[in-house]
Amino acid sequence: MAQEPGATDPAEPGHTRPDPAKPEHTAPDPDPRPAPVELSDLAALKALAQPRRQWMLQHLTVHGPATSATLARALGLNTGATSYHLRELARYGFVEETGAAGHGRERWWRAVPGDRRFPPRSRQSPEMRLVMDELNHHAYAADLELFEQLQWDAVDEPWADAFPYSRGTIRLTLPELREFFEEYIALLNRYKRPEADTPADARTVLTRFLAFPAQAASAEAPTRDTPPDSAPGSTPDTADDGRETETS
């Protein structure tokens, strides 16, 4: 699992191709993709699992730098609470001060970009699993609520069709699933670009990835001669436009 609290501005990732204008001995450009960092510190995970901090981090990621007062107004909190939560997030490297000058003692905060990964379930301690379960519970619920709300709000605007959604199935080995995930992260990085290169009509798009192994076959499961989609109560895998997705 990976989490990306902040936006990055890498160039297109991939293999570096030789430039005829450069001497052959010139070293290739460094990989612009952020190196993955595993969040294994239990205290950092506990800090991140607090729902209000997740809201604040989400707001900073989507809307950019803000003051504690701005966050308080946007999220319905008091300034003292937002200041405390910002300090806790900064303590573990999730946010930082921008250094921009404000009115009086006003402090501006921004999300720190990066490719942050959570430890695999098999390497989590019992206590860490409880923290991760709480963190994921709040994150999943918030994502679903936000998706539904924004979809409803956008019904009469040009971006009303900007809510792609797909359900599908593929058969993979565990190493193949890991490779699939890394390719997804690489795809996200390929579409990122500096603010100066972003078209004026572009909008921030929230992306979420979720994959999990299906339940193991049981005696009650349909036989291989019975199409899975004909099982009682089942529906075919469909994309957001109603077409069936290719399955294997």
Side-chain angles (χ1 to χ4, degrees), residues 128-139:
M128 184 178 290
R129 288 181 182 178
L130 291 176
V131 174
M132 287 302 307
D133 288 345
E134 180 181 4
L135 190 157
N136 289 332
H137 172 75
H138 293 300

Side-chain angles (χ1 to χ4, degrees), residues 6 13 44 52 61 63 77 85-86 102 110-111 119 122 126 130 138 197 202 229-230:
R52 290 182 177 179
T61 301
H63 301 289
L77 305 174
H85 290 311
L86 283 168
R110 64 186 170 199
S122 60
L130 291 176
H138 293 300
D197 297 336
D229 290 340
S230 64

Side-chain angles (χ1 to χ4, degrees), residues 14 23 99 110 165 173:
R110 64 186 170 199
Y165 171 70
T173 64

Side-chain angles (χ1 to χ4, degrees), residues 1 47 54 61 95 99 104 131 133 148 163 177 210 228 239 243-244:
M1 179 183 296
Q54 292 189 38
T61 301
V95 303
V131 174
D133 288 345
E148 293 178 341
F163 293 83
L177 179 57
L210 179 67
R243 295 176 299 174
E244 291 190 17

Side-chain angles (χ1 to χ4, degrees), residues 142-193:
D143 286 342
L144 181 58
E145 181 180 359
L146 186 61
F147 180 86
E148 293 178 341
Q149 181 62 49
L150 294 179
Q151 189 176 42
W152 177 262
D153 293 343
V155 67
D156 293 323
E157 67 162 90
W159 282 72
D161 296 331
F163 293 83
Y165 171 70
S166 174
R167 302 177 71 197
T169 57
I170 50 179
R171 294 182 64 81
L172 300 172
T173 64
L174 190 55
E176 287 173 337
L177 179 57
R178 295 191 182 106
E179 183 179 357
F180 185 91
F181 176 73
E182 293 300 334
E183 289 182 9
Y184 165 77
I185 297 297
L187 179 64
L188 289 182
N189 285 325
R190 183 161 65 87
Y191 276 86
K192 290 177 181 175
R193 54 195 165 191

